[in-house]
């Protein structure tokens, strides 16, 4: 049985004090549940939020990571820095980073390997644009993204990776992929993992859906057999919405 994982991606929202106040109110959500709950917060808030989450079962995630441990990379944050804070997860290759910050399949792969080497679990994002979906090249795009992101990643390491399918046209738009379409793509991704590794790991790897997940569609999405969780932007910023999502 794959453990469901609901992760909030705050993106560039909430100041440090707003973030701390927010987790104070939701930190019980990881208790008495089979669901793994994660909050991925801005770099500057990680330390304060970590302290607030000390006695809670909620995991902490960063929204990016650099692949080098240190060096002349102005403005970047290394895995050593994140590890010292006690970060559990790092989102890697979010479409917003690919689109606005020139993240490529190659840098995604480097970040995945570096993150694994430092014992931080990657949440690796893939997804197609609307044009790619309409011209039937979505699967090809996803295949390339998955193959390149996981280049030289061992089966053992694969056990520590979470994949997230986030169709770009569904992010922040209020449009969700239908739960059947999302499941179809996620099952396709699972098959890619089976082809690259084996049946065992393909059954074990957790794959989330992301893109306008809200309290009113989360149950349907989570009822799909291949969807193991959600990576949530907007609705993860509100206490009541996030609570409903975690309790899908
Ligand atoms: P929304 O839930 O706001 O559509 O964002 C999805 C997302 O990009 C999560 O990483």
């Amino acid at each position: 049985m794959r453990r469901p994982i609901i992760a909030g991606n705050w993106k560039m929202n909430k100041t440090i004090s707003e973030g701390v106040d927010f987790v104070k109110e939701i930190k019980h959500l990881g208790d008495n549940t089979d669901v793994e709950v994660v909050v991925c917060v801005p770099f500057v808030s990680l330390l304060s939020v970590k302290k607030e989450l000390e006695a809670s079962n909620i995991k902490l995630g960063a929204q990016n990571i650099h692949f080098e441990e240190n060096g002349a990379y102005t403005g970047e944050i290394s895995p050593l820095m994140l590890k010292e804070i006690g970060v559990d997860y790092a989102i890697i290759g979010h479409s917003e980073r690919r689109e606005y910050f020139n993240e490529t399949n190659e840098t995604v792969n480097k970040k995945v390997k570096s993150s694994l080497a430092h014992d931080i679990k990657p949440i690796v994002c893939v997804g197609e644009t609307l044009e790619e979906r309409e011209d039937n090249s979505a699967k090809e795009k996803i295949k390339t993204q998955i193959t390149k992101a996981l280049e030289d990643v061992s089966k053992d390491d694969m056990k520590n990776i979470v994949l997230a399918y986030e169709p770009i046209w569904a992010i922040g738009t209020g449009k969700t992929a239908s739960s059947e379409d999302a499941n179809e793509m996620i099952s396709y991704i699972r098959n890619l993992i089976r082809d690259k590794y084996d049946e065992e790991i393909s059954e074990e790897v957790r794959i989330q859906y992301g893109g306008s997940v809200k309290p009113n569609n989360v149950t349907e999405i989570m009822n799909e057999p291949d969807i193991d969780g959600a990576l949530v932007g907007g609705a993860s910023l509100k206490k009541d919405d996030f609570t409903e999502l975690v309790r899908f």
Side-chain angles (χ1 to χ4, degrees):
M1 249 331 251
R2 297 183 294 267
R3 186 175 181 205
I5 174 168
I6 304 286
N9 173 10
W10 292 3
K11 309 191 179 181
M12 197 175 70
N13 292 292
K14 297 193 191 291
T15 63
I16 301 175
S17 59
E18 287 168 350
V20 169
D21 288 349
F22 183 80
V23 293
K24 252 183 211 149
E25 297 200 68
I26 57 130
K27 64 182 179 186
H28 61 281
L29 289 180
D31 302 334
N32 307 316
T33 174
D34 288 340
V35 177
E36 185 172 13
V37 183
V38 188
V39 288
C40 300
V41 314
F43 283 136
V44 291
S45 302
L46 284 169
L47 185 56
S48 314
V49 166
K50 176 70 189 178
K51 286 184 181 152
E52 192 56 49
L53 291 178
E54 210 108 275
S56 107
N57 287 315
I58 295 192
K59 304 275 176 59
L60 183 64
Q63 298 173 15
N64 185 23
I65 190 168
H66 195 266
F67 43 83
E68 295 292 352
E69 291 189 339
N70 44 53
Y73 299 99
T74 303
E76 292 292 322
I77 302 291
S78 91
L80 291 182
M81 300 169 188
L82 296 177
K83 197 62 211 165
E84 189 172 295
I85 292 173
V87 162
D88 306 287
Y89 286 94
I91 296 176
I92 297 178
H94 192 280
S95 60
E96 286 150 17
R97 294 218 53 88
R98 294 179 192 255
E99 183 177 353
Y100 307 132
F101 303 101
N102 302 322
E103 197 124 304
T104 63
N105 287 324
E106 287 67 35
T107 56
V108 168
N109 178 244
K110 284 185 178 182
K111 289 177 179 200
V112 167
K113 287 188 286 192
S114 173
S115 187
L116 289 165
H118 293 87
D119 217 11
I120 295 170
K121 298 185 174 81
I123 298 177
V124 182
C125 303
V126 298
E128 82 283 3
T129 62
L130 189 57
E131 296 70 51
E132 288 161 343
R133 173 151 286 251
E134 283 173 350
D135 71 16
N136 285 322
S137 62
K139 284 193 172 152
E140 211 40 55
K141 162 92 172 282
I142 302 294
K143 185 176 182 180
T144 304
Q145 286 184 324
I146 290 282
T147 309
K148 298 225 162 134
L150 301 179
E151 218 167 82
D152 302 322
V153 171
S154 71
K155 181 182 161 185
D156 261 0
D157 276 340
M158 197 59 220
K159 294 180 180 159
N160 290 316
I161 294 183
V162 173
L163 301 173
Y165 168 58
E166 297 204 306
I168 295 167
W169 48 271
I171 296 178
T173 57
K175 289 185 201 163
T176 31
S178 72
S179 50
E180 293 84 11
D181 284 351
N183 191 68
E184 192 199 329
M185 191 61 94
I186 287 177
S187 142
Y188 173 73
I189 294 172
R190 203 174 293 291
N191 285 337
L192 293 173
I193 301 301
R194 192 194 55 207
D195 294 346
K196 180 174 162 70
Y197 300 95
D198 59 22
E199 181 80 25
E200 184 195 3
I201 192 71
S202 76
E203 287 302 318
E204 207 173 302
V205 66
R206 292 181 298 171
I207 312 178
Q208 298 175 302
Y209 168 77
S212 299
V213 177
K214 307 282 178 208
N216 66 8
N217 58 25
V218 66
T219 312
E220 189 186 330
I221 289 166
M222 291 303 293
N223 276 340
E224 291 292 337
D226 277 296
I227 304 181
D228 305 313
L231 183 57
V232 187
S236 76
L237 299 170
K238 297 180 204 129
K239 178 187 155 213
D240 293 347
D241 285 359
F242 194 57
T243 303
E244 285 190 57
L245 294 178
V246 168
R247 296 187 176 148
F248 68 87

